[in-house]
Amino acid sequence: MEMVKTKIQHKKRQVATFIILMLLWEVGSESVQYSIMEETESGTFVANLTKDLGFKVGELADRSARVVFKGGRQHLQLDPQTHDLLLNEKLDREELCGSTEPCVLPFQVLLENPLQFFQATLRVRDINDHAPEFPARKMLLKISEITMPGKIFPLKMAQDLDVGSNSLQSYSISSNPHFHVLTSNRSDGRKFPELVLDKALDREEQSQFRLTLTALDGGSPPLSGTSDIQILVLDINDNVPEFTQDLYEAHISENKHPGSLVITVSARDLDAGSFGEVSYTLFQDDDINQPFEINAISGEIRLRKTLDFEEFQSYHVDIEATDGGGLTGKCSLIVQVLDVNDNAPELTVSSLNSPIAENLPGIIVAVFSVSDADSGPNQEVICSIDDNLPFLLRPSVENFYALVTDGALDRETKAEYNITITVTDLGTPRLKTEHSITIHVSDVNDNAPAFTQTSYTLLVRENNQPALNIGSVSATDRDSGTNAQITYSLLPTQDPHLPLASLVSINADNGQLFALTALDFEALQAFEFRVGATDQGSPALSSQALVRVVVLDDNDNSPFVLYPMQNASAPCTELVPRAAEQGYLVTKVVAVDRDSGQNAWLSYQLLKATEPGVFGVWAHNGEVRTARLLSERDAARHRLVVLVKDNGEPPLSASVTLHVLLVDGFSQPYLPLPEVAPERAQGDSLTVYLVIALASVSSLFLFSVLVFVAVRLCRRRRAAPLGICSLPEGHFPGHLVDFSGTGTLSQSYQYEVCLAGDSGSGEFKFLKPIIPNLPP
């Protein structure tokens, strides 16, 4: 039930579609008629089609006019230059239409842009090109001598393929005193001869006659055909065979096999003996190709070959019964051929448009016609295609259909369609024909390029070689051909301070990016820009992606020592009391590294010392401390060389020289230690140093007491440190901006080293923030 319901709904849908589209479809309302004589030479002018249809000169060519006949055979053609209607081939009316008159061949004139049909007909007029022909050159008649004058004897009929006035018109017989010929009309309009006895026969006087029967058509000049008649005069046989019916009718389907029984006729003769024995014969137009045969004894008429309704719909056969004495009787048989649905529908494609552009709805893809050689319901056809396809069938006149797109197509979804058109007749059983066409969809630039990523991050190590390939971007386009060819470009940056054109370039064909110059991490750690991808379609479509370039640091900067400064005009000497305990903080070496990460991790070590083992350097913070208790035996002056090394690969380093002076208490003055002093000058200057130190200690003692009292009053039992030396004022390099646990400090601080005389331990402090006037 589900399947039946679906079929009924589908049929209703087709009928509704047909009614609506027939109302909307533009067709020619008037039929144009042309005529031409048969056997006219090919290429003969038939008509000025442009004038007859009311079009302008050249309009038929612009609209791709074509002539379409049913069955696909082209009897007419259009002149390529003038578009006049010309005869395409020599026509034979008898071959095309047989005995049908008038012989009319319908055709259509098909125009495109917009689709339009004009109905027309071509009538093929007959010429007298066929003479009448008898099925047999000789005929034999046996007539009893006692036959009364006025008796009529049927004769075999001549056949003329021409029609109208050119067809067979009359019969005549050679001159004789006993017989004449009557020309009679059959039920189908054809003329047949009958021999009439005018004068009684006498076998003893003349036992036989030889006459000539002539068939004459109405052509100009008339054509004729003849047959010889031999008449034998028989002895007395006074009863002729008589059929039970003068006219027999039979119906037989066209699909019956040879040998199938059509009908049985019967005649009787009242005579006795051999004169009462009846035999049957058939009179047909063509004895050789006759489709029937009769049993001479039983009167059964059977098929000699399979009938074809599409060739002949009916047959008129004369049957003669002859007794043993030669007397004959006659009857007629009309056989109606019944149509059987034995012809599948035919489909003829008149126009095919492929490929078709995507995104355009309502495009006419193909124009075709359907036909069925059967008749009645067997000839009615319906056309259909798969409902899942984006196409529609629009019916027109005379079984013409147009295949159009149902909405816009998308080549990226499907680039090719295989459409099967099914034509089914309404006969029983139903026959169908399937015709497949392939439609290609051409590309339209309707897809912009798409990058594989919305953003790209490229890592580039500094100090790279110029023209280094630092990475690539990639985009794809769903279109095809030139519409899918992509060109890459750098888009203008919104940062006016970023010289993008001098930093990177891009290969327009494959999207590879190149660094044009050596990058410096310390100057530029990262930068961003946008890359565009544009296809070659019309109009061109484009998209863009963000690219971020991150510069990786190399260990290309050595550590820089901030304190103590080696180029100071008055280098500072660190004073350490001899009573200092182990671990006493002497000073702190402060250094920075312009690199980053592990390349900026600094470590410190004591490279040289006047007396090894007296002082040590902490590896992580650069603090210089006493390694043991000091004694009187230790030298008063010490020169220390501290090595500062980063953690890069390979490591880079710098060194600094420290001067340390051991003093007994704080009475000794602060004296700068020269880099190189002769041994002899040391003894002379020692006395001077002692005097200065004694005065300094006295002054310092007095100052210390005053400070001590003031601090005690303000801070309650907190001792005030006494500063012995400080970092000379100056400008720090402007590029030292990092600060970490490795000893690198911010440029906005000034440092001061102070020694506490009473605690025995030194401390490195940030005393005050300063905003120095740094050079650019």
Side-chain angles (χ1 to χ4, degrees):
M1 288 298 293
E2 287 265 352
M3 185 176 294
V4 172
K5 186 175 181 181
T6 302
K7 288 183 177 180
I8 292 175
Q9 291 176 349
H10 183 66
K11 186 172 183 181
K12 288 181 178 178
R13 176 175 176 266
Q14 287 181 333
V15 171
T17 303
F18 177 82
I19 294 174
I20 294 172
L21 293 176
M22 282 296 291
L23 293 175
L24 297 177
W25 197 258
E26 181 181 359
V27 297
S29 59
E30 297 182 358
S31 178
V32 184
Q33 296 182 357
Y34 302 103
S35 65
I36 194 168
M37 303 298 291
E38 66 171 328
E39 304 298 335
T40 303
E41 293 297 327
S42 173
T44 301
F45 173 83
V46 177
N48 186 336
L49 195 59
T50 302
K51 179 180 179 181
D52 293 345
L53 297 182
F55 289 107
K56 299 178 181 179
V57 177
E59 188 172 355
L60 292 182
D62 295 339
R63 296 183 62 181
S64 303
R66 64 175 63 88
V67 177
V68 181
F69 278 87
K70 181 178 180 180
R73 186 173 177 181
Q74 291 299 108
H75 303 300
L76 298 176
Q77 64 178 347
L78 292 177
D79 187 290
Q81 282 75 35
T82 64
H83 272 70
D84 289 337
L85 200 60
L86 306 180
L87 190 63
N88 190 45
E89 60 183 1
K90 185 182 291 186
L91 304 180
D92 186 353
R93 194 208 65 81
E94 290 72 32
E95 177 187 352
L96 295 174
C97 300
S99 61
T100 303
E101 180 64 13
C103 180
V104 177
L105 304 178
F107 66 94
Q108 288 78 32
V109 179
L110 172 63
L111 304 179
E112 297 181 0
N113 302 320
L115 183 65
Q116 190 174 13
F117 289 92
F118 287 92
Q119 301 181 64
T121 57
L122 175 65
R123 180 177 179 181
V124 183
R125 298 188 179 277
D126 184 50
I127 63 172
N128 193 25
D129 56 344
H130 293 89
E133 291 184 6
F134 286 94
R137 302 293 297 174
K138 293 183 180 181
M139 289 184 280
L140 177 63
L141 291 179
K142 296 178 180 181
I143 303 176
S144 175
E145 62 178 337
I146 64 170
T147 303
M148 298 300 292
K151 175 67 176 177
I152 297 176
F153 301 92
L155 299 176
K156 292 184 177 180
M157 182 175 58
Q159 181 180 8
D160 193 332
L161 297 179
D162 294 323
V163 295
S165 61
N166 295 324
S167 64
L168 192 151
Q169 299 294 321
S170 63
Y171 294 91
S172 63
I173 198 168
S174 56
S175 178
N176 70 93
H178 292 278
F179 300 94
H180 75 275
V181 170
L182 291 178
T183 301
S184 303
N185 291 323
R186 215 166 59 170
S187 59
D188 59 356
R190 301 175 67 183
K191 294 178 171 57
F192 65 93
E194 291 180 318
L195 187 64
V196 181
L197 181 61
D198 293 330
K199 181 181 178 181
L201 301 176
D202 186 353
R203 183 179 179 279
E204 287 71 27
E205 181 181 347
Q206 189 174 353
S207 62
Q208 65 177 4
F209 296 88
R210 292 187 180 276
L211 305 175
T212 299
L213 179 62
T214 302
L216 192 68
D217 64 21
S220 180
L223 302 178
S224 62
T226 61
S227 178
D228 294 333
I229 302 176
Q230 183 181 6
I231 301 174
L232 299 179
V233 182
L234 303 178
D235 223 353
I236 296 175
N237 181 18
D238 54 353
N239 288 290
V240 297
E242 293 182 1
F243 285 94
T244 57
Q245 297 176 224
D246 291 334
L247 178 63
Y248 289 86
E249 292 186 3
H251 298 80
I252 187 169
S253 300
E254 62 174 330
N255 62 347
K256 292 292 185 179
H257 298 291
S260 298
L261 178 64
V262 179
I263 196 173
T264 300
V265 297
S266 176
R268 65 177 183 171
D269 193 310
L270 298 179
D271 293 323
S274 62
F275 291 132
E277 296 176 356
V278 178
S279 61
Y280 302 94
T281 56
L282 294 178
F283 290 94
Q284 300 181 92
D285 296 340
D286 189 353
D287 290 336
I288 298 177
N289 297 319
Q290 61 183 0
F292 306 104
E293 60 184 2
I294 190 170
N295 188 307
I297 305 300
S298 64
E300 293 180 347
I301 298 177
R302 296 182 181 272
L303 290 179
R304 287 183 59 188
K305 64 178 184 178
T306 302
L307 303 180
D308 187 0
F309 174 84
E310 288 70 41
E311 184 177 357
F312 292 102
Q313 290 77 41
S314 65
Y315 293 89
H316 193 122
V317 182
D318 293 326
I319 307 170
E320 185 179 71
T322 306
D323 62 17
L327 299 180
T328 61
K330 176 193 171 186
C331 74
S332 297
L333 170 65
I334 296 177
V335 180
Q336 298 288 345
V337 183
L338 302 179
D339 184 37
V340 174
N341 194 27
D342 58 345
N343 291 282
E346 296 180 357
L347 186 148
T348 304
V349 177
S350 303
S351 173
L352 179 61
N353 181 19
S354 178
I356 58 176
E358 63 174 334
N359 296 342
L360 295 179
I363 298 177
I364 298 177
V365 179
V367 176
F368 63 92
S369 62
V370 295
S371 60
D372 195 310
D374 295 318
S375 63
N378 299 332
Q379 190 181 31
E380 298 177 10
V381 297
I382 55 175
C383 292
S384 62
I385 59 175
D386 192 348
D387 291 337
N388 297 325
L389 294 174
F391 297 90
L392 291 176
L393 285 178
R394 290 183 176 176
S396 178
V397 296
E398 294 294 330
N399 287 332
F400 270 87
Y401 290 83
L403 179 66
V404 298
T405 57
D406 183 17
L409 304 181
D410 185 6
R411 188 205 65 83
E412 289 71 37
T413 302
K414 193 169 185 179
E416 179 182 293
Y417 291 89
N418 292 315
I419 304 173
T420 300
I421 304 173
T422 303
V423 185
T424 307
D425 62 25
L426 300 181
T428 303
R430 293 194 174 191
L431 301 180
K432 69 177 181 179
T433 297
E434 293 183 346
H435 185 87
S436 297
I437 58 177
T438 300
I439 303 299
H440 298 277
V441 183
S442 60
D443 186 48
V444 173
N445 192 29
D446 56 348
N447 290 280
F451 281 93
T452 55
Q453 300 173 216
T454 56
S455 63
Y456 296 81
T457 300
L458 307 179
L459 304 180
V460 184
R461 192 163 294 279
E462 67 171 330
N463 301 323
N464 58 282
Q465 293 292 331
L468 174 69
N469 183 2
I470 60 176
S472 64
V473 295
S474 178
T476 57
D477 196 311
R478 295 180 62 197
D479 295 320
S480 64
T482 56
N483 295 333
Q485 295 178 2
I486 298 176
T487 300
Y488 299 91
S489 62
L490 297 179
L491 300 181
T493 178
Q494 296 182 354
D495 186 357
H497 303 293
L498 180 64
L500 183 62
S502 62
L503 292 176
V504 294
S505 67
I506 189 169
N507 188 312
D509 297 326
N510 55 26
Q512 292 185 348
L513 292 165
F514 299 90
L516 298 179
T517 60
L519 301 177
D520 185 3
F521 174 83
E522 288 71 34
L524 185 64
Q525 286 78 34
F527 59 94
E528 294 180 348
F529 58 92
R530 290 190 174 273
V531 173
T534 305
D535 59 28
Q536 302 300 313
S538 180
L541 301 178
S542 62
S543 62
Q544 54 183 264
L546 179 66
V547 178
R548 176 179 171 82
V549 178
V550 178
V551 182
L552 301 179
D553 184 42
D554 265 351
N555 191 28
D556 57 346
N557 292 283
S558 299
F560 182 81
V561 179
L562 292 176
Y563 180 80
M565 298 183 63
Q566 297 300 294
N567 295 329
S569 58
C572 179
T573 299
E574 305 295 338
L575 302 181
V576 178
R578 288 186 179 273
E581 299 178 354
Q582 181 180 357
Y584 177 84
L585 177 62
V586 178
T587 187
K588 183 174 183 177
V589 177
V590 180
V592 295
D593 196 312
R594 293 181 62 192
D595 296 321
S596 65
Q598 66 178 9
N599 296 329
W601 297 350
L602 302 180
S603 61
Y604 303 85
Q605 66 182 43
L606 185 60
L607 188 63
K608 291 181 181 181
T610 303
E611 292 185 12
V614 177
F615 299 97
V617 178
W618 285 29
H620 298 297
N621 58 15
E623 292 181 349
V624 180
R625 295 180 181 270
T626 56
R628 58 177 175 81
L629 290 174
L630 302 179
S631 65
E632 295 295 334
R633 293 190 300 271
D634 294 328
R637 299 176 180 84
H638 292 265
R639 183 172 178 270
L640 307 179
V641 178
V642 178
L643 179 67
V644 183
K645 183 172 63 175
D646 62 23
N647 197 35
E649 185 63 38
L652 302 178
S653 62
S655 62
V656 61
T657 301
L658 302 176
H659 299 278
V660 180
L661 178 63
L662 302 183
V663 297
D664 295 324
F666 291 98
S667 60
Q668 300 184 33
Y670 169 76
L671 295 176
L673 186 65
E675 289 290 333
V676 180
E679 190 68 27
R680 202 168 36 184
Q682 290 181 2
D684 297 335
S685 60
L686 182 58
T687 303
V688 177
Y689 290 159
L690 291 176
V691 174
I692 295 173
L694 181 60
S696 299
V697 169
S698 300
S699 301
L700 183 61
F701 177 77
L702 181 58
F703 178 73
S704 299
V705 172
L706 294 176
V707 171
F708 178 77
V709 173
V711 171
R712 291 287 293 181
L713 293 176
C714 297
R715 295 193 178 178
R716 297 196 180 210
R717 292 178 295 178
R718 289 192 59 180
L722 181 62
I724 301 302
C725 66
S726 63
L727 182 67
E729 292 187 4
H731 299 291
F732 288 10
H735 57 272
L736 304 178
V737 297
D738 293 336
F739 177 70
S740 66
T742 59
T744 56
L745 300 176
S746 171
Q747 65 178 0
S748 61
Y749 284 85
Q750 179 178 328
Y751 306 95
E752 188 171 316
V753 177
C754 298
L755 297 178
D758 58 342
S759 64
S761 61
E763 186 174 3
F764 183 73
K765 297 182 179 179
F766 303 111
L767 296 183
K768 55 183 177 180
I770 306 175
I771 307 299
N773 184 17
L774 301 180

